[in-house]
Each structure stands twice: as C-alpha cells, then as structure tokens.
C-alpha cells in the first residue's frame, strides 16, 4: 500500500505559496530504490489556488531500505529539483 510523503516548502521560515502547476500537481517526485530501480510514484494533484506550503505524495515503496528521491517544483516558469534520501522500514 502507498506511503504518504509530505514535502514542506518554505521561504524565510514561512510557508511558500508561490508554486505553479507542474504536470498536473504542485510537484513531482522520481524515486530510486535500494537497488537503484525506478519506483512507482503517484502525486496527489493539489489545486494551485489552495496552497499551504505542503505537497502530499503517495509513494509505493516495495521493500524497506534507503531510497533516493528527486522532487521537482516550478516557480516563475523555472523548474527546481531537490534531492532527498529517506529510509523506509517495512
């Protein structure tokens, strides 16, 4: 079953609410698993007019271990990519 992953987007300590629609959501995640395999990720579309500074994703982690995540967001027609490593326990 999917795990819920929440990304907090802030600027100067305040929730950032200036994200633009990016392929049907406020953000997109690409995930690679412990064996560097691509993992299925489904972003929950969030209406850009109701921004809270949080982006919620459903991520299917098939096994426990370390995963490398790349999150993309768009601001002022520029796409930024952020890299994260998460440990999944199952």
């Amino acid at each position: 079953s999917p795990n819920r992953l929440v990304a907090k987007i802030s600027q100067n300590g305040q929730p950032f609410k200036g994200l633009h629609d990016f392929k049907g959501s406020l953000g997109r995640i690409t995930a690679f698993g412990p064996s560097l395999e691509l993992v299925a990720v489904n972003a929950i579309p969030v209406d850009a007019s109701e921004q809270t500074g949080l982006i919620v994703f459903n991520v299917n982690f098939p096994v426990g271990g370390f995963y490398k995540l790349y999150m993309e967001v768009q601001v002022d027609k520029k796409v930024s990519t952020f890299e994260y490593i998460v440990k999944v326990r199952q």
Side-chain angles (χ1 to χ4, degrees), residues 31-44:
F32 293 91
S35 300
L36 299 179
E37 73 279 13
L38 184 63
V39 178
V41 175
N42 301 307
I44 299 172

Side-chain angles (χ1 to χ4, degrees), residues 5 7 22-23 25-34 36-44 55-62 66-73 79-86 88:
L5 183 65
F22 183 63
K23 299 183 181 184
S25 182
L26 289 179
R28 176 183 164 146
I29 286 185
T30 302
F32 293 91
L36 299 179
E37 73 279 13
L38 184 63
V39 178
V41 175
N42 301 307
I44 299 172
I55 305 174
V56 179
F57 299 93
N58 280 337
V59 183
N60 300 310
F61 293 113
F66 288 94
Y67 288 79
K68 189 170 220 175
L69 308 179
Y70 295 93
M71 182 180 72
E72 297 172 301
V73 296
V79 175
S80 295
T81 303
F82 302 92
E83 180 180 320
Y84 302 92
I85 294 179
V86 296
V88 175

